[in-house]
Amino acid sequence: MTYMDNSNDWDLFQAEKADRQKKRLEIPDSEKTLEELQIHMSGQARRPFLGTQADLSQNESSREFLHATNVFANFLRQQRAHYYPLGQSLGPKSKAFLARFFDPALLGQVKIVKLTEGRVANPPFFTEAREKGYRNLPDLAHQSNVTFLDVVVFNEKITERSLFHGLVHVTQVQILGMERFVELFVRGFQHWKSYFMIPLKAHAFTLDCQFAENRERGFSVESEVVRWMEEGRY
């Protein structure tokens, strides 16, 4: 399942990307993609800094953002590699019920892990984040479940609603792509300074409520994620 799956859309996407790359030095760092920031920062590293203090602060912020996205992406990959072999596929009844909300292809790919010993541990980079002043980091051991790309790991009993929540994040990753998902997650946390205020998380909680109200009727989570993406709400 991809957002752009025909040649015309792909050509348009590539053309827009090329045009954006030509103009990347005119784009504020807050609006650059991870790829653009990497190009921008590598170019700056080859020449002496001649800007203002504000420019210096912006460069430092960009470096911190790149570091955070790289660390977070590596963490997601490592945890996914660890848990995926331990996971189980959704059963036929679960797939039939959840097909009211999710793409059947996604439901066939995702893996579910129920921990019987121990709980998901906090990542090592939380220590560094706290040293930099971030105080609203989640305690993963106390989360009912944690999603690592296409693996949903449960610390506690699996419920319909907690499974739904995890699958919303799997859908976000598939629609946005892992790199963009990571960028938006990190940028949202840096902006709001709160895990639960990150738009990706806030949307999942909103859809949780919608799920509770439309359990039997159903709705398309994919369409909701695409809508938020197109509206720039992430």
Side-chain angles (χ1 to χ4, degrees):
M1 176 185 64
T2 57
Y3 173 52
M4 290 174 293
D5 57 0
N6 64 68
S7 58
N8 290 336
D9 284 345
W10 177 251
D11 292 340
L12 179 60
F13 170 70
Q14 294 287 48
E16 290 176 348
K17 180 178 178 182
D19 183 63
R20 186 175 176 84
Q21 287 176 335
K22 290 179 182 179
K23 300 177 180 178
R24 66 178 181 271
L25 294 180
E26 302 173 4
I27 303 172
D29 282 352
S30 61
E31 298 179 11
K32 290 179 181 174
T33 65
L34 177 58
E35 178 184 6
E36 290 167 336
L37 277 171
Q38 288 171 333
I39 295 172
H40 185 51
M41 297 306 297
S42 63
Q44 289 179 334
R46 292 193 293 269
R47 60 178 183 270
F49 177 74
L50 301 174
T52 65
Q53 185 63 39
D55 293 330
L56 183 61
S57 297
Q58 187 178 52
N59 290 341
E60 183 62 31
S61 176
S62 297
R63 291 188 182 92
E64 182 177 328
F65 173 75
L66 284 174
H67 174 68
T69 53
N70 287 332
V71 169
F72 185 42
N74 288 335
F75 173 69
L76 291 179
R77 291 190 192 99
Q78 291 166 1
Q79 295 302 303
R80 192 266 184 191
H82 173 70
Y83 284 114
Y84 195 87
L86 306 176
Q88 295 184 343
S89 299
L90 291 167
K93 290 184 178 180
S94 294
K95 288 181 180 178
F97 170 69
L98 291 167
R100 304 171 191 176
F101 307 96
F102 299 99
D103 181 358
L106 179 147
L107 297 176
Q109 174 187 343
V110 70
K111 296 292 185 180
I112 307 299
V113 178
K114 174 63 177 74
L115 298 181
T116 56
E117 296 182 4
R119 302 172 80 86
V120 178
N122 287 333
F125 59 80
F126 272 18
T127 300
E128 179 184 353
R130 290 190 180 96
E131 290 173 353
K132 292 184 177 181
Y134 293 98
R135 295 288 180 262
N136 294 313
L137 297 167
D139 186 348
L140 300 188
H142 291 137
Q143 301 289 314
S144 65
N145 61 81
V146 185
T147 303
F148 300 114
L149 304 181
D150 57 353
V151 183
V152 186
V153 182
F154 288 83
N155 286 320
E156 301 171 359
K157 179 181 178 180
I158 301 175
T159 66
E160 284 184 350
R161 191 159 179 174
S162 61
L163 177 57
F164 177 90
H165 184 98
L167 292 175
V168 170
H169 290 311
V170 176
T171 302
Q172 289 172 335
V173 171
Q174 289 219 352
I175 295 295
L176 295 165
M178 193 200 75
E179 181 180 285
R180 186 58 177 160
F181 176 86
V182 167
E183 292 174 11
L184 292 169
F185 202 98
V186 171
R187 204 181 294 282
F189 188 79
Q190 288 181 334
H191 177 77
W192 292 101
K193 309 296 184 185
S194 170
Y195 173 74
F196 296 103
M197 290 294 291
I198 297 170
L200 288 164
K201 291 297 300 181
H203 193 202
F205 289 124
T206 299
L207 293 177
D208 280 355
C209 296
Q210 194 171 336
F211 168 74
E213 296 173 356
N214 298 275
R215 183 183 178 282
E216 300 302 327
R217 185 173 58 186
F219 60 90
S220 171
V221 170
E222 179 178 345
S223 295
E224 290 299 307
V225 171
V226 169
R227 181 171 65 84
W228 270 49
M229 178 182 69
E230 292 177 340
E231 293 174 357
R233 300 178 69 178
Y234 286 132

